[in-house]
Amino acid sequence: MRSTAIGPAKSWGSLETSISEIVDPANDSTRVAVFGINPTSQDTTLLFADASNSLDLGTVSAEQYPYLQLQYYAKDAVDRTAPQLDHWRVYYTGLPEASVNASNFFQYYNDTIQQGEQFQFEIAIENLSQHDMDSLLVKYVLTDERNNEITHFERLDPLKKDAVIRSFFEINTKTLSDKQRLTLEVNPNNDQAELFHFNNFAVQEFFIERDQRNPIMDVTFDGTHIMNGDIVSSTPIISIALKDENQYLALSDTSLFKIFIKYPNQELGQRIHFDNAFLEFFPASEGNLSGNNEAYVELRPTFNQDGIYELIVQSEDATGNQSGDLDYKVLFEIINR
């Protein structure tokens, strides 16, 4: 007599059998065979034992043989009174079973968000079994329309039997745009053994509106907007202000500005880098972007040479939108006397 498949198991314990009274020990014989079934459903004979004794199965690897099967042999060729099997029992530690459970808790920020906003996603994960799980690994994959992927792993607390924990994911969308798909996978690559994997997934799609509006730039010399060819001080205060309507992406980096000054009798302008002592950068305040996302640069040069100079400024916002189709250019004259 052969049993059904037993398992899957996290670890094997013992086998206990009970048979009816042996009428004639000289003629009656019994035994139990234990077969191990590997993940590819191939079985291997592991152990033989007298059916009247219990058998320790602790040496059997549950990883190699997640299922076992038993076979009972009884024989009495003389009196035809072979012992009957009353029961057989296999003791083992079963596998836990984690499942994404959106009906318990599910929350995400919005279907459509502006570039630079924080996208947030939270969902419940439940242990449906009577077996504890170790610290739970969760995989998040963010995929755009061009199949570019951002992968993030997070290990949550242990998931006890019948317990529920929440998986929380957030990402800044500064470098993202258009349609996105977030895929959550619990216990990826069978990080720890469990019964099933089909219920370990959640998918959420959302759209990121690209920032396409140009920032506004304003340039003044000593607080005044000059015309081409105006005479200015040889020690002016040149202010370059850049303002953007995006309340999530701060103008906070010097790379947003490229400043050139063309000196008299020069064909090309010289790049003014931010390590110059007369150049100072004031970033936008991160705590007040909704009211005023504005950065500015202040130049305090000294022009000792008389002649015609040219100021050239290129600027852009945090997503690369330029302040204009053309660079800002203005000619000014220095007369030291």
Side-chain angles (χ1 to χ4, degrees):
M1 180 169 59
R2 196 166 179 124
S3 73
T4 58
I6 305 161
K10 186 176 183 180
S11 63
W12 297 108
S14 62
L15 165 64
E16 177 190 281
T17 57
S18 176
I19 59 174
S20 62
E21 183 180 356
I22 296 178
V23 177
D24 186 352
N27 299 326
D28 295 350
S29 63
T30 62
R31 63 175 181 170
V32 174
V34 179
F35 299 89
I37 303 176
N38 66 19
T40 62
S41 299
Q42 295 178 327
D43 61 357
T44 302
T45 304
L46 301 179
L47 300 167
F48 280 101
D50 190 318
S52 60
N53 298 323
S54 61
L55 182 63
D56 181 16
L57 300 177
T59 57
V60 178
S61 169
E63 183 177 354
Q64 185 177 5
Y65 300 109
Y67 291 89
L68 295 182
Q69 197 168 33
L70 308 178
Q71 188 158 310
Y72 174 69
Y73 298 87
K75 178 181 178 181
D76 183 351
V78 179
D79 302 318
R80 311 299 190 204
T81 58
Q84 301 300 302
L85 179 66
D86 293 333
H87 68 256
W88 47 10
R89 296 173 183 151
V90 174
Y91 295 90
Y92 66 94
T93 301
L95 293 180
E97 170 56 11
S99 175
V100 173
N101 188 354
S103 62
N104 183 284
F105 184 86
F106 174 58
Q107 180 177 296
Y108 70 99
Y109 183 69
N110 210 339
D111 284 326
T112 302
I113 61 177
Q114 186 175 340
Q115 190 173 26
E117 284 189 86
Q118 288 286 121
F119 174 78
Q120 297 179 340
F121 176 90
E122 191 170 10
I123 197 167
I125 303 171
E126 183 177 3
N127 188 341
L128 304 176
S129 71
Q130 293 298 306
H131 304 287
D132 295 339
M133 296 189 76
D134 295 331
S135 54
L136 194 64
L137 185 65
V138 180
K139 177 182 178 182
Y140 310 92
V141 180
L142 195 63
T143 310
D144 65 14
E145 292 181 306
R146 293 169 292 279
N147 287 324
N148 297 315
E149 292 186 349
I150 298 175
T151 303
H152 174 72
F153 291 90
E154 183 179 5
R155 192 168 289 278
L156 307 180
D157 293 335
L159 183 57
K160 304 297 183 181
K161 62 182 181 181
D162 292 329
V164 177
I165 59 175
R166 294 181 183 179
S167 172
F168 176 78
F169 173 78
E170 69 174 345
I171 189 171
N172 187 284
T173 60
K174 177 180 178 180
T175 59
L176 306 175
S177 62
D178 303 326
K179 189 176 181 180
Q180 305 285 329
R181 182 178 69 252
L182 175 66
T183 303
L184 173 145
E185 181 182 1
V186 177
N187 195 30
N189 301 320
N190 203 31
D191 181 65
Q192 55 184 303
E194 66 168 324
L195 282 175
F196 305 109
H197 202 72
F198 72 90
N199 53 2
N200 287 19
F201 295 89
V203 178
Q204 178 63 48
E205 293 186 346
F206 61 100
F207 188 82
I208 302 173
E209 290 185 336
R210 184 193 298 268
D211 181 5
Q212 296 180 336
R213 295 179 64 180
N214 303 95
I216 299 172
M217 185 174 67
D218 186 49
V219 181
T220 60
F221 284 69
D222 294 322
T224 302
H225 298 96
I226 69 170
M227 302 292 289
N228 259 329
D230 280 357
I231 297 174
V232 302
S233 167
S234 62
T235 57
I237 299 175
I238 304 174
S239 297
I240 305 170
L242 186 66
K243 188 171 185 178
D244 192 29
E245 91 295 340
N246 192 312
Q247 59 182 316
Y248 303 105
L249 299 177
L251 302 174
S252 58
D253 199 305
T254 57
S255 64
L256 303 178
F257 296 87
K258 293 180 181 179
I259 303 169
F260 302 83
I261 294 179
K262 186 187 295 184
Y263 287 78
N265 303 319
Q266 287 187 346
E267 293 185 3
L268 299 176
Q270 295 183 12
R271 176 78 180 269
I272 309 300
H273 295 281
F274 281 86
D275 56 0
N276 278 285
F278 65 80
L279 187 61
E280 188 172 3
F281 174 67
F282 300 88
S285 173
E286 295 278 357
N288 189 34
L289 296 183
S290 59
N292 187 27
N293 186 6
E294 182 174 6
Y296 68 96
V297 176
E298 194 171 87
L299 291 85
R300 295 175 178 263
T302 298
F303 299 119
N304 297 316
Q305 180 183 357
D306 290 355
I308 302 296
Y309 291 75
E310 184 176 23
L311 174 68
I312 305 167
V313 182
Q314 304 169 357
S315 63
E316 60 184 33
D317 64 18
T319 56
N321 297 315
Q322 295 189 341
S323 56
D325 294 333
L326 301 175
D327 299 340
Y328 172 86
K329 296 182 180 180
V330 65
L331 298 171
F332 59 93
E333 187 175 2
I334 299 295
I335 305 177
N336 280 280
R337 65 182 173 84

